[in-house]
Amino acid sequence: MRSDYIRRFGAEVDETHEKLRKEVMRTIEGHGAKTIADLPDMTEGERAKWFFWNLHENLDEFRKLEPTLIGQVMCTQLTVTDGLLMASEKMGMEKRIALTVRWHIRLAYTSYQNEEAYPIGEGSVDLSVSNTKPEDPPLQKNQKAYMDSDNSLYPNQLYLYGWVTEPIWNEIKNHLYSPTPNCHTDLILRDNCLFPVKAGFGFVAGPPGAIGITNLEFCVSSHSAERRSNRRTETLQR
């Protein structure tokens, strides 16, 4: 899917891109048109379809729910290549981070002043580490990533391709590799940085049906065993 997109990408194929995007959206419209009340009874894959369709076809109304996409990092892999680079066909060094994540979507119910989070499946995050925008994946000037999917069962698993700078990587790597079982890292994608890749949204790029991302936010949560033990003791004493 990515290699096909790279070959086709260009201003002259905008119309074809939009036609393909609409075809993709039609395949998931039945799930996307369902209401929030249906979410608890939907499967993770069906919720992913609901999320993609509403972001593309119902953006203004969907934004009212303040959707936040959360990727809980389960596994981390760092790859460093020193030699001929596949993307540029030049000699050099390339550093990439691969994250295995569990995706959740969090929605705000403003009328009830409540939030709910729903699992929408597993996937991966592939980030290039560079201080300048990389050639692979192809992104727009201020874009950090795009989210694509396994199109055999669109969307099935969710894949995010993008980049982070060296200072950001240096900030988060110790947390990603932390041996402490009470520490976990989430990748947060808020509604104001998620945009459908479609006609009129020229500031983001990606394959037909993808979601363009302009900000990546990492959130580290830590819970010490001592604090947990104290809370348990206090509860028992009551």
Side-chain angles (χ1 to χ4, degrees):
M1 180 67 183
R2 295 180 69 205
S3 59
D4 289 344
Y5 163 66
I6 292 169
R7 286 196 300 269
R8 291 198 307 263
F9 184 70
E12 71 279 4
V13 296
D14 283 350
E15 187 175 337
T16 301
H17 186 288
E18 180 65 8
K19 180 181 178 181
L20 291 172
R21 185 196 69 82
K22 289 180 178 178
E23 291 176 356
V24 168
M25 288 300 112
R26 275 196 291 270
T27 66
I28 61 174
E29 184 176 4
H31 299 286
K34 291 185 177 181
T35 65
I36 303 175
D38 296 317
L39 285 177
D41 298 324
M42 295 167 70
T43 66
E44 292 183 359
E46 289 171 340
R47 292 182 193 131
K49 294 177 174 67
W50 183 87
F51 169 73
F52 267 80
W53 187 88
N54 276 277
L55 199 64
H56 273 267
E57 303 298 320
N58 193 31
L59 182 61
D60 290 340
E61 289 300 314
F62 192 44
R63 281 272 167 83
K64 295 177 182 178
L65 297 174
E66 301 176 14
T68 302
L69 200 58
I70 304 169
Q72 183 181 1
V73 179
M74 309 303 297
C75 180
T76 307
Q77 178 179 346
L78 171 67
T79 303
V80 179
T81 303
D82 187 12
L84 183 63
L85 306 181
M86 295 297 291
S88 63
E89 297 184 350
K90 298 177 182 178
M91 296 297 291
M93 187 187 79
E94 181 182 65
K95 187 184 297 183
R96 303 191 76 92
I97 319 161
L99 309 175
T100 301
V101 301
R102 290 178 181 165
W103 293 107
H104 293 75
I105 181 173
R106 184 172 62 205
L107 303 173
Y109 297 80
T110 53
S111 56
Y112 302 103
Q113 295 185 336
N114 191 22
E115 291 184 342
E116 293 286 348
Y118 301 94
I120 58 173
E122 297 184 354
S124 65
V125 176
D126 184 357
L127 298 175
S128 172
V129 181
S130 172
N131 285 327
T132 58
K133 184 167 68 73
E135 295 181 15
D136 180 34
L139 301 169
Q140 296 288 18
K141 180 180 178 181
N142 295 316
Q143 186 178 351
K144 299 302 293 187
Y146 68 76
M147 177 167 285
D148 197 10
S149 61
D150 174 1
N151 282 280
S152 61
L153 292 170
Y154 187 93
N156 185 19
Q157 289 194 331
L158 309 183
Y159 304 105
L160 186 148
Y161 303 101
W163 72 291
V164 291
T165 61
E166 283 278 1
I168 295 297
W169 167 240
N170 291 331
E171 282 286 335
I172 66 172
K173 63 182 178 182
N174 292 334
H175 302 293
L176 290 172
Y177 294 129
S178 172
T180 308
N182 303 312
C183 176
H184 74 265
T185 303
D186 295 329
L187 175 59
I188 308 294
L189 306 174
R190 303 187 187 278
D191 66 320
N192 61 351
C193 73
L194 300 172
F195 300 92
V197 178
K198 61 185 295 187
F201 288 79
F203 52 90
V204 291
I211 296 168
I213 296 160
T214 57
N215 290 75
L216 299 177
E217 177 181 328
F218 291 90
C219 180
V220 179
S221 301
S222 179
H223 309 279
S224 73
E226 182 180 350
R227 278 187 293 158
R228 266 211 330 272
S229 177
N230 290 340
R231 283 200 299 269
R232 278 202 299 267
T233 303
E234 291 170 2
T235 302
L236 289 174
Q237 288 174 346
R238 289 174 190 165

